[in-house]
Amino acid sequence: MADLENKLPVPRGPLALLLALVFFVSPLLFLTNLTRNPYYLQITLLNSALLGAAALFVYASLKRGAWVVPATPLTRPLGALTLVYLASFACSWLGHAPFFWPAMVSEGLKAGMFFLVNCLAAFYLALSIPFSDGDADIPAGRWLALILGWGALWFLFPFLRAQPSGDGLLDRLLDPYGLLVWVSGFTAVYMLIRRCRQEDILHLALTAGAIASLYGVLEYFHIELVWAKLVNPYGNRSVSTFGNPNFISSYAVLFLPLAASLLMKADNGVKRFYYGLVFLSYEGMLMCSLTRSSWIGAAAAFTFLFAFASHRGALKANKKFLYPFFAAALALLALWPADSLKPFSSGLFDRVSEVVSNVNSPADINLSGNSGKIYASFHQRLLIWTSAWQMGLENPMLGQGWGQFELFYPFYQGRLLLNLPKIRGLRTHANNAHNEILEQWSQAGLIGLGVYIWFLAVLFYGFFRFYRMSGPEARYGAVPLAAGLVGVLADNMLNVSLHFAVPALAFWWVAGALALKTSGTAPCPSWRRPRAAAAAAWLLLALCLAGVWLWQRQFKREFLYFNGFKTMRAGNAAAAAGQLFAAWKAHPREVNSNYEMGNAYVRAGEPEKGAWGYSEALKANAGYDEIYFNLAIVLKRLGRMQEALKYLQVSTIINPLNLISWQALAEAYLGAPDKAAVAAAAVLDFREAVRVFPYDGNMWNTLGYFNMMKKDFKAARDAYARGVKADPENRMLAENLAGVSRQLGVRNDPDLAWLAAYLRLSGALASSAAPAGELARAQDLLALDAASPKARTLRAKLLFKAGRLDEAARELEAVLAENQADNAARYGLAVIYEKKGSLSAARAEWRTFLQFEPGNAAVAGRLNALETAP
């Protein structure tokens, strides 16, 4: 123990307290009525505790006159990666318009702090905490008692919790029984890790993960111990205490190999019970999360683990216990119920077959939708990957700038949605690339990706060299750490967990522990230039303390933002504006809080302040179309039409699917003092609008009008003609088409002839007795324009009237294949299905109808009648 104490240059007591906050409190603490993001407190605690631990090492360096953080071969690639990230940000900053600079700084600082604190600080702290000479004295029984005993205390929480006495911070935090449970758990953890050995910290991470996993399993089976109702924002996919099922599943992937490895060498019943419980809890959590990328990661991790003779040998040496155990674990995977919890269902089979049935040929792996299959889980990722690839292509060497993915992604997505109609329902606001290679490529280019791979290559080269050269016990302990890292990297080819607080902390800590075990470290020599080094150390210490202060301010902002949010929902906009302004003063660069502040000021009747609030939101993150739209509407009210026009243009670029934005843009153009001067720009904009809304007659009418303003009468006639085909009942379109045709001297206009034929046939259909020859005339109408959805729908109505239901259904199905949003055609198809007795198909169409028109009570009633039908 004395030798170990000499290896630690900082006092073990404060360090153990901080690491207990990092690995115990942070992964397990979340509060649903404190901040809008229930997990913000755990993120604040995690970062503040990491900064506090880093400050201990910096202060120890000042006292010794030498850096006490050990040197490692990985310092060079990590240092290079830091410099590349800085260079990529600087290059991007210089390459973008000044309008984006505040948001770029905001997003860049956020990403930079995450990398420096959540990643590098965690790595170097792990590198600084030594392993003991052996793990024979690991108190497995005490760790087991912590899981069972501390976990059992939460079963009493629903009966002993107290209602908050007020809305203050302490009122919501200090539940007497909850506080007692947390203090007892924290004290127990501190006593278990007070020696600050690497094994102690890894066992704390294992145990905290097991507690979270067991809670997640209870959630999956609808048993809630903490809150009044289930916290399930992802359906029945358990989030446990991690905020997202994809985060805790990655955590499980990282530590599953370690749990399995320790189980295989367990030499008594208590250890087998403890490690077996941890292993099975992680396995259960993986199934409860339903995260397929993590299932792939777990498979990769165990393939890596058992690729080494050390672990194959351990498995065989204890096969009487291990073979039945792992057989039971495999059976548990197969028998785990689906999220519906129906008897004899299999979550594994359902989730895998779902992918296989929707993505089963090369034709399905594209965004065109030509194969007829759009599988949201896969094709949304494909949309994100395509945008990420395009982001990197703009600057292949340094990318779009580190930390800028979320800011600029919506602009790339908007172009894809404009050009690829079948994927428009997949629009999202992506924080990250959902692929670690594309994450690096899109933001830091080939150089950043190359240095990132260099870091991983050095890490794993050190591991393989160590495995070849070390004895059996040492090499055995290194393999599960490397396997966990392999699993998480495989997982993050489809996931984003490496860029969120708790899973990223765990990954970088394990990377540091692996580097400590395998690559070796050397203490840094005494400072050659003591004054300069001391100045740098004092600066680092000040930055650590400033970081803690900044996180405190951010947490205060989140608390005030949530108060303001709730006050807004209660209808008191003026009071909400005051609370949200206080949140802005606490920390001014949070897009959601600032956006809500703008909303509050506008609803409180203060449009000037509302415009300022929206502008502050854009300074935090300029990638949200709704901010531009709301700001433009306020500016229109204030008479600032030119500014409003500019912001509406950006809103339609980011989100071309928002019909209201296009309508507002048209009004802004029409309100311009010199309409002729803006006509050319208006035509260019609305050529894109009709690509997005080709079946909207008003959009074609608007485009025709702007072409008239531009004196391009032929283009105006073409636009009016397209509009007439899209909306034959629109009399204004018909009049405009007739007028411009006369102006151009067009005789016997074929589009007017089509319209007349359509209206005659439509009028005949409305009569009680259909005249003979209607179907033939409908065929003649289609011959004039075979692609017209209105003509095809009209023919389907005639077929229905003639009792030819199958033909009518095929016609309407073809219309919907081209335009899923055509609810008129869908209504007719659902009625046909009902009449044919195909009730399941009818229910499916009514449900889809309500997705487009959720307020249609008549359709909801028809669906309800079918749902309750025998």
Side-chain angles (χ1 to χ4, degrees):
M1 177 64 69
D3 181 56
L4 179 62
E5 188 172 307
N6 292 334
K7 291 180 182 179
L8 273 174
V10 299
R12 288 179 296 125
L15 182 61
L17 288 172
L18 291 168
L19 293 178
L21 282 174
V22 169
F23 284 99
F24 179 67
V25 178
S26 179
L28 297 177
L29 178 64
F30 71 106
L31 294 158
T32 60
N33 195 34
L34 189 65
T35 53
R36 182 85 191 276
N37 175 354
Y39 307 91
Y40 208 86
L41 179 58
Q42 68 175 211
I43 299 169
T44 300
L45 289 173
L46 185 149
N47 282 274
S48 299
L50 282 174
L51 286 164
L56 290 178
F57 281 87
V58 174
Y59 184 69
S61 299
L62 278 167
K63 291 177 66 177
R64 290 195 181 187
W67 298 111
V68 299
V69 177
T72 170
L74 290 155
T75 296
R76 287 186 178 180
L78 287 174
L81 190 61
T82 305
L83 292 176
V84 171
Y85 286 166
L86 282 171
S88 71
F89 173 80
C91 181
S92 180
W93 191 80
L94 294 171
H96 281 90
F99 169 80
F100 288 105
W101 288 355
M104 292 180 70
V105 170
S106 174
E107 291 294 299
L109 282 174
K110 186 166 64 175
M113 285 184 62
F114 182 89
F115 179 67
L116 292 174
V117 179
N118 223 121
C119 304
L120 291 190
F123 176 85
Y124 278 101
L125 284 169
L127 197 69
S128 304
I129 296 177
F131 285 92
S132 65
D133 295 332
D135 59 358
D137 61 339
I138 293 295
R142 295 180 185 178
W143 287 113
L144 177 62
L146 178 64
I147 295 175
L148 300 177
W150 194 71
L153 292 176
W154 287 106
F155 280 87
L156 299 175
F157 185 71
F159 308 102
L160 298 177
R161 66 179 301 175
Q163 291 300 318
S165 57
D167 287 332
L169 177 61
L170 292 180
D171 294 322
R172 299 183 206 176
L173 278 174
L174 300 182
D175 175 84
Y177 181 75
L179 183 63
L180 176 65
V181 174
W182 273 110
V183 169
S184 64
F186 188 85
T187 303
V189 164
Y190 172 77
M191 297 301 293
L192 283 164
I193 68 165
R194 67 188 186 281
R195 292 175 291 182
C196 286
R197 304 175 305 174
Q198 188 66 239
E199 290 89 349
D200 297 326
I201 309 307
L202 291 173
H203 276 77
L204 174 55
L206 279 173
T207 301
I211 293 170
S213 296
L214 291 169
Y215 177 53
V217 171
L218 291 175
E219 279 185 323
Y220 191 78
F221 291 100
H222 300 171
I223 299 171
E224 176 57 65
L225 301 180
V226 179
W227 306 112
K229 61 179 181 178
L230 282 171
V231 180
N232 53 353
Y234 297 87
N236 204 39
R237 297 179 63 198
S238 296
V239 300
S240 184
T241 60
F242 276 59
N244 190 306
N246 297 352
F247 301 166
I248 189 167
S249 64
S250 293
Y251 191 97
V253 168
L254 181 65
F255 288 109
L256 256 175
L258 181 59
S261 180
L262 293 169
L263 175 65
M264 287 191 290
K265 63 182 292 189
D267 54 9
N268 60 54
V270 173
K271 288 183 178 180
R272 287 178 180 174
F273 194 136
Y274 167 60
Y275 295 122
L277 177 63
V278 171
F279 181 91
L280 292 175
S281 70
Y282 283 175
E283 181 187 20
M285 189 64 240
L286 272 177
M287 300 309 299
C288 293
S289 72
L290 299 176
T291 306
R292 287 167 296 207
S293 66
S294 294
W295 297 353
I296 294 171
F302 277 92
T303 300
F304 187 93
L305 186 75
F306 288 110
F308 292 90
S310 60
H311 282 69
R312 294 196 303 273
L315 183 64
K316 291 177 183 178
N318 197 10
K319 61 184 180 182
K320 287 185 178 181
F321 166 70
L322 293 174
Y323 281 9
F325 179 88
F326 285 120
L330 289 172
L332 183 64
L333 287 180
L335 297 175
W336 194 270
D339 57 341
S340 64
L341 300 182
K342 291 181 179 178
F344 308 111
S345 63
S346 169
L348 181 65
F349 176 80
D350 283 4
R351 293 287 279 175
V352 173
S353 62
E354 189 179 302
V355 177
V356 172
S357 62
N358 286 285
V359 186
N360 53 19
S361 73
D364 297 331
I365 307 175
N366 64 72
L367 292 175
S368 68
N370 291 338
S371 69
K373 293 180 182 177
I374 293 293
Y375 178 48
S377 293
F378 172 75
H379 286 94
Q380 191 172 74
R381 278 180 171 79
L382 194 58
L383 171 62
I384 296 169
W385 296 339
T386 304
S387 299
W389 175 252
Q390 292 176 345
M391 289 170 75
L393 284 178
E394 287 201 357
N395 185 351
M397 290 296 102
L398 287 172
Q400 194 62 233
W402 189 249
Q404 305 307 304
F405 187 92
E406 182 180 359
L407 171 58
F408 291 118
Y409 167 78
F411 293 90
Y412 293 85
Q413 176 185 241
R415 296 297 87 191
L416 290 171
L417 297 176
L418 179 70
N419 295 316
L420 299 166
K422 297 294 179 66
I423 62 165
R424 288 173 182 167
L426 304 180
R427 180 178 175 268
T428 185
H429 193 98
N431 302 93
N432 301 92
H434 286 72
N435 177 283
E436 194 59 17
I437 294 172
L438 289 172
E439 183 80 22
Q440 302 295 325
W441 153 262
S442 62
Q443 297 180 89
L446 285 173
I447 298 176
L449 177 60
V451 176
Y452 189 77
I453 293 172
W454 175 26
F455 159 71
L456 293 174
V458 173
L459 179 64
F460 280 94
Y461 172 76
F463 162 72
F464 284 114
R465 185 182 61 181
F466 175 83
Y467 187 85
R468 289 195 306 269
M469 298 174 60
S470 300
E473 187 69 22
R475 67 171 65 171
Y476 187 90
V479 172
L481 300 177
L485 297 176
V486 167
V488 173
L489 289 169
D491 176 12
N492 274 261
M493 294 301 106
L494 295 161
N495 202 347
V496 296
S497 57
L498 278 175
H499 303 279
F500 288 84
V502 175
L505 156 80
F507 177 87
W508 284 91
W509 187 279
V510 171
L514 180 65
L516 173 66
K517 183 176 278 290
T518 62
S519 297
T521 61
C524 290
S526 298
W527 290 334
R528 294 181 179 178
R529 298 180 179 178
R531 290 185 179 179
W538 280 113
L539 177 61
L540 283 174
L541 187 61
L543 289 174
C544 288
L545 298 177
V548 174
W549 177 84
L550 179 61
W551 274 105
Q552 173 265 327
R553 300 297 294 176
Q554 290 185 97
F555 177 75
K556 182 178 180 181
R557 177 204 68 209
E558 288 296 303
F559 177 74
L560 292 168
Y561 161 48
F562 191 43
N563 286 347
F565 176 84
K566 291 191 294 183
T567 304
M568 272 283 284
R569 296 305 177 269
N572 191 344
Q579 292 167 326
L580 292 162
F581 179 69
W584 176 87
K585 289 195 342 184
H587 185 260
R589 289 295 172 261
E590 209 292 316
V591 62
N592 296 294
S593 179
N594 293 350
Y595 176 66
E596 196 71 16
M597 178 173 64
N599 290 339
Y601 277 129
V602 170
R603 293 182 188 180
E606 299 185 79
E608 286 283 3
K609 289 184 176 181
W612 170 78
Y614 293 135
S615 298
E616 288 297 301
L618 290 176
K619 289 178 182 178
N621 187 325
Y624 288 86
D625 67 286
E626 53 263 51
I627 304 175
Y628 291 97
F629 177 81
N630 285 13
L631 177 56
I633 299 304
V634 172
L635 292 173
K636 281 178 63 180
R637 287 173 53 187
L638 294 171
R640 294 155 63 179
M641 296 300 296
Q642 285 300 110
E643 292 177 79
L645 182 61
K646 176 184 68 174
Y647 288 120
L648 284 169
Q649 285 175 316
V650 179
S651 180
T652 58
I653 289 171
I654 295 175
N655 181 13
L657 310 183
N658 188 347
L659 179 61
I660 298 174
S661 290
W662 289 109
Q663 293 169 343
L665 181 60
E667 292 173 8
Y669 275 123
L670 293 171
D674 187 352
K675 295 181 178 60
V678 299
V683 166
L684 288 175
D685 281 340
F686 279 86
R687 282 177 184 167
E688 295 200 343
V690 296
R691 290 175 62 195
V692 182
F693 301 102
Y695 307 106
D696 190 311
N698 291 324
M699 281 294 149
W700 286 107
N701 195 43
T702 303
L703 176 59
Y705 179 80
F706 287 131
N707 274 305
M708 294 288 287
M709 285 170 51
K710 194 183 170 189
K711 308 299 183 185
D712 189 345
F713 301 115
K714 184 178 182 304
R717 197 212 76 84
D718 291 343
Y720 290 139
R722 293 287 299 275
V724 160
K725 298 286 183 65
D727 188 4
E729 287 81 15
N730 190 319
R731 293 182 62 185
M732 182 180 291
L733 271 168
E735 292 170 4
N736 288 341
L737 175 59
V740 76
S741 292
R742 286 194 301 270
Q743 193 166 351
L744 289 170
V746 177
R747 295 184 178 180
N748 301 319
D749 189 310
D751 295 300
L752 286 173
W754 181 94
L755 176 63
Y758 177 92
L759 292 176
R760 280 196 301 273
L761 193 58
S762 180
L765 179 64
S767 65
S768 57
E774 282 181 351
L775 280 171
R777 286 193 284 274
Q779 197 60 42
D780 293 340
L781 184 66
L782 278 171
L784 296 175
D785 186 355
S788 169
K790 288 292 185 180
R792 300 191 77 167
T793 301
L794 191 57
R795 182 172 183 270
K797 291 178 180 178
L798 290 167
L799 289 167
F800 178 82
K801 200 166 188 178
R804 295 158 65 175
L805 300 184
D806 290 338
E807 294 175 76
R810 284 196 294 271
E811 200 74 78
L812 292 174
E813 286 166 353
V815 171
L816 287 169
E818 291 300 318
N819 179 22
Q820 279 291 308
D822 191 340
N823 261 0
R826 177 166 284 107
Y827 190 100
L829 183 60
V831 170
I832 291 172
Y833 284 152
E834 283 189 26
K835 197 170 183 66
K836 290 174 62 179
S838 302
L839 299 187
S840 61
R843 282 192 288 265
E845 293 302 331
W846 290 132
R847 290 190 194 102
T848 306
F849 188 107
L850 290 171
Q851 289 176 10
F852 289 100
E853 295 183 41
N856 193 311
V859 169
R862 293 191 74 140
L863 175 60
N864 185 58
L866 287 181
E867 299 279 19
T868 57

